[in-house]
Amino acid sequence: MKNVTRRDFVGGSAAAIVAVAGPAGASDTAASNDKVRIVAISCSPRKGKSTATALQVCLDAAKEVSPGIETELIELAGLRINGNVAAGVPLEPGERDDFPSLVPRLKDPKVRGIIIGTPVYFGNMSSLCKAFLERCIVLYQPDYALSNKVAGVVAVGGTRNGGQEATIQSVQMSLFCQEMVVVGNTRPSSRLGGVVWSGIEGGVLKDEFGLTTTKALGRHVATVALQMAGPGRPA
Ligand SMILES: Cc1cc2nc3c(=O)[nH]c(=O)nc-3n(C[C@H](O)[C@H](O)[C@H](O)COP(=O)(O)O)c2cc1C
């Protein structure tokens, strides 16, 4: 099997990329350095629950676009992230702060796509998600570290129409403020992103519509990230 280099991605659509690179699953043939990384951040305070499950589906779909994609799921559950620090309010003496450990994982130039997943809480994102996004202000100035990275959003609610789309839009606003290239999901239902229902019997993996939108989002983020990883991309 031919090794896949970044050059293979240049100027190609996702279909062309797959055709050049070979079938999905051949990821061990690609040199790790050439890979484009997509990171998903689960902003549920509950580790390994619906939001993390939906994001893993999203990442798996992203990975299927090309062997040139690698993925990472980061769960914020259990991490201490105090949003007030973004406004210059100091931590209490001895207060734990886990946000700085995330910074290099987000700034890494290999990371070309970031997918934010949040539970829907009263028609909006979780407080953990808001605190995380506010703390990301350190990635804005002076380096604009998230600028031109591709972004997508998955929202998981306990009811079918529990405010997932409003939640996605709310998260997207801060991603636009970071100069990210915000994309939604693609056909057959081209809209805002992954809209997932956890309250369905059997959980999110039984939510056919939610899975369709979430997989389409993963593929879209991966496709655009690959296209932008070629030479000539904006600095
Ligand atoms: C404080 C709170 C508010 C919630 N508000 C909504 C809501 O407005 N709409 C909705 O569909 N589900 C709502 N839910 C349900 C969660 O979105 C749902 O259980 C989700 O799957 C949680 O994600 P997780 O399993 O990853 O923790 C709420 C849950 C909590 C705890």
Side-chain angles (χ1 to χ4, degrees), residues 44 46 49-51 119-123 156-159 162 198:
S44 169
R46 304 193 310 154
K49 299 295 185 183
S50 321
T51 307
V120 180
Y121 285 173
F122 296 134
V156 183
T159 51
S198 65

Side-chain angles (χ1 to χ4, degrees), residues 147-173:
S147 184
N148 295 318
K149 292 187 195 273
V150 184
V153 185
V154 175
V156 183
T159 51
R160 171 73 283 166
N161 299 299
Q164 284 88 339
E165 294 192 329
T167 299
I168 290 172
Q169 285 184 294
S170 189
V171 174
Q172 284 176 336
M173 187 65 210

